[in-house]
Amino acid sequence: MVVSLRDQGVLRDAFAEVSCFRTELYACLTSRRDSLFELCDALLCTDGPVRTLVDLALAPEHRRGHGALYGGLNEGRLDVSRLRRALAGMRLPRAADGRIVLAADVSPWLRPGANTCPDRTFCHTFGRGEGKHQMVPGWPYSIVAALETGRTSWTAVLDAVRLTPGANVAAVTAVQIREVVERLVAAGQWKPGDPEVLVVLDAGYDAPRIAHLLKDLPVEILGRLRFDRVMRRPTPPRVYDPKGGRPPKHGGEFVFGDAATWGTEQAWDRLHPRLTRRAAWIDYDGPLPIIDGTVIRLTVARLPSGGVNKPVWLWWSGTAATEADVDRCWQSFLRRFDLEHTFRLFKQTLGWTKPRLRSSEAADRWTWLVIAACAQLRLARPLATDLRRPWEKPVPPNRLTPARVRRGFRYLYTKAGSPAGAPKPSRPGPGRPLGSKNRYPATRHDVGRVLATGEAYTRPTHHKVGTKPRRAG
């Protein structure tokens, strides 16, 4: 096969990016760096999905024993701030207009039987069957990633934060998005005059509140709203009333479940929720704000499961939306589901939730190693060769999935090199004497729950969604 000079330049640049990131990753590991770096290489080069953590110690890329593997996760150190800056400085995917599109979502690392693990909280999961909502103990992680255009399973993960028990999810997400955007600005990914960064959220987030918290940043918030919400129209013009009285603060109601309040439009400008002093706004100083936005209604023509079609309601923090803005919003919202492919890659292929680690700090180190491995796969995307199975269809190089790029990473690994040092010869310790008992049992911890109000719960509760519209924001 003849490779053009342009293709040779692209491959050369891709190799340089992979080598540069690997060197920066090694510098981010401040303690037990050789063991942690080779663990990341073993994660990338192992054939097939990761079943158990100790199996990675058998990979040729991990030249140390299983004791060093667990020692690196339990006692190692990782400069997370530096790694976050390295991820923000990488080449990021952009929309057709050059805009950066970010998506935020929470994915749980379930640990239902780990009573000795601290910082667990009840995570919301879906069980088998219709409407089977369950609360299972585990470690929930908030993930922020940059989205690509078109149908793809690739995303650029930029940040991960473990939610602690009793954390305010909206406040934590707002701070996380703020820090990600500030790092992108510092890295030169966004400059004054560029299109504002679009942040896409699902229905589990309070999009108007997050837009209010981030109003000083060059971002736009696009979130899905529940089908039972009630919004308010703009304040009508004031009319002289001889009886006096306070002028109205809100306009008429816009009820998502009542088509008589809609009109004939598909997008409604300057709608806002009617806020009350409860939950997240109970300690707000001054009068409650009016958070205007654009509500967009999407009609699904056909569901894959054959269920009842319900309209999808989106809220965009911008106003005076044009037809192009509406199309851009709903197309960007559809790309949010690409983050689910990333979660599936983390859990089913890279084995993110397979290790039974006791320490939450060790779980954070393992999470960042998985993110670093995913970043290397994205950088190696132009270099990968399609090593397909006999039953798989041929795919162009630029359409390979992350799992198929991972199949050939071992051949790229030999060319990229490893900055890790060779292991020193050692002998295993004697271990616990035969017949001795453990005199220091592990401490057992209670399970907390993450609520928007910040209240601490010790047992899960289940809330059934009613059909009555919600009159408050």
Side-chain angles (χ1 to χ4, degrees):
M1 181 179 63
V2 179
V3 181
S4 63
L5 294 178
R6 179 180 178 182
D7 294 338
Q8 290 179 3
V10 172
L11 297 179
R12 191 182 305 110
D13 294 341
F15 266 118
E17 290 182 354
V18 173
S19 301
C20 182
F21 181 80
R22 288 172 61 84
T23 304
E24 183 66 16
L25 173 62
Y26 186 76
C28 294
L29 305 173
T30 58
S31 179
R32 305 289 183 99
R33 56 173 55 180
D34 293 336
S35 178
L36 290 175
F37 190 85
E38 291 188 354
L39 175 59
C40 186
D41 284 345
L43 179 64
L44 287 168
C45 299
T46 300
D47 295 331
V50 176
R51 304 297 183 184
T52 60
L53 183 62
V54 72
D55 286 342
L56 297 177
L58 303 178
E61 291 75 18
H62 193 275
R63 298 173 292 177
R64 291 158 174 83
H66 64 278
L69 183 148
Y70 284 101
L73 289 178
N74 294 325
E75 304 296 336
R77 294 293 181 270
L78 175 64
D79 189 350
V80 178
S81 300
R82 183 171 180 175
L83 182 55
R84 283 169 170 161
R85 292 193 297 269
L87 294 173
M90 296 170 54
R91 186 175 66 254
L92 297 180
R94 297 175 181 267
D97 58 350
R99 184 189 309 268
I100 298 177
V101 181
L102 303 179
D105 203 355
V106 176
S107 183
W109 182 342
L110 301 181
R111 300 300 307 276
N115 296 324
T116 59
C117 292
D119 302 328
R120 289 186 306 157
T121 183
F122 286 103
C123 307
H124 180 266
T125 59
F126 291 93
R128 295 185 178 181
E130 183 178 358
K132 295 295 183 179
H133 303 277
Q134 299 178 355
M135 303 297 289
V136 182
W139 292 316
Y141 280 84
S142 177
I143 308 294
V144 176
L147 304 179
E148 293 190 2
T149 58
R151 299 178 58 183
T152 179
S153 57
W154 288 92
T155 62
V157 180
L158 299 176
D159 193 29
V161 173
R162 176 171 48 83
L163 302 177
T164 57
N168 190 317
V169 180
V172 172
T173 305
V175 174
Q176 185 182 16
I177 294 175
R178 174 180 296 274
E179 294 177 350
V180 169
V181 173
E182 289 176 351
R183 287 194 295 268
L184 293 177
V185 173
Q189 301 283 5
W190 185 91
K191 300 180 180 62
D194 294 345
E196 293 186 334
V197 179
L198 180 63
V199 181
V200 186
L201 306 173
D202 204 4
Y205 294 90
D206 189 354
R209 185 188 176 210
I210 294 179
H212 176 73
L213 296 175
L214 302 178
K215 61 182 180 180
D216 58 324
L217 292 179
V219 298
E220 299 175 354
I221 304 299
L222 174 65
R224 183 165 68 97
L225 300 179
R226 291 161 52 103
F227 64 90
D228 58 350
R229 290 290 296 268
V230 176
M231 306 292 282
R232 292 301 185 105
R233 295 183 182 274
T235 305
R238 186 176 181 180
V239 180
Y240 173 74
D241 187 357
K243 297 181 180 180
R246 186 176 61 180
K249 188 177 180 181
H250 308 281
E253 289 187 343
F254 184 93
V255 184
F256 288 4
D258 186 3
T261 63
W262 299 351
T264 59
E265 301 89 347
Q266 290 295 320
W268 296 265
D269 189 29
R270 305 189 69 83
L271 298 185
H272 62 271
R274 184 179 181 273
L275 305 180
T276 57
R277 291 195 179 276
R278 64 180 181 87
W281 302 96
I282 192 171
D283 297 328
Y284 186 82
D285 296 333
L288 295 177
I290 300 295
I291 310 175
D292 287 329
T294 302
V295 173
I296 303 171
R297 176 176 175 266
L298 300 181
T299 303
V300 181
R302 181 181 61 86
L303 293 179
S305 59
V308 180
N309 295 345
K310 294 182 179 180
V312 177
W313 297 93
L314 304 179
W315 185 89
W316 178 50
S317 60
T319 56
T322 62
E323 185 176 354
D325 293 332
V326 174
D327 292 339
R328 175 171 57 85
C329 286
W330 70 261
Q331 292 174 5
S332 300
F333 177 77
L334 294 182
R335 298 274 61 81
R336 192 209 69 84
F337 295 98
D338 295 340
L339 193 57
E340 303 295 336
H341 296 288
T342 301
F343 293 156
R344 189 178 297 110
L345 171 72
F346 280 10
K347 296 181 178 181
Q348 297 183 3
T349 303
L350 301 181
W352 172 39
T353 58
K354 295 297 183 181
R356 297 183 178 181
L357 302 174
R358 176 180 298 177
S359 171
S360 57
E361 290 78 10
D364 294 342
R365 297 185 194 101
W366 171 246
T367 300
W368 280 108
L369 289 182
V370 172
I371 294 176
C374 185
Q376 294 183 61
L377 291 178
R378 190 168 62 88
L379 292 177
R381 187 176 175 183
L383 306 172
T385 304
D386 186 15
L387 304 178
R388 63 186 182 90
R389 307 294 189 228
W391 56 85
E392 294 177 342
K393 296 181 180 179
V395 177
N398 59 341
R399 299 295 300 174
L400 292 178
T401 62
R404 294 176 74 162
V405 172
R406 178 172 172 261
R407 293 176 188 172
F409 193 87
R410 173 168 289 171
Y411 305 100
L412 303 175
Y413 162 83
T414 57
K415 298 180 180 179
S418 174
K424 299 179 181 179
S426 61
R427 304 177 66 178
R432 182 186 300 175
L434 183 63
S436 62
K437 296 182 179 180
N438 182 15
R439 296 180 295 175
Y440 303 98
T443 305
R444 295 179 177 269
H445 303 272
D446 295 331
V447 182
R449 185 182 180 192
V450 174
L451 291 179
T453 58
E455 300 177 359
Y457 269 60
T458 57
R459 59 177 298 182
T461 57
H462 303 275
H463 301 276
K464 183 178 180 181
V465 179
T467 58
K468 185 178 180 181
R470 301 171 61 190
R471 297 292 169 179

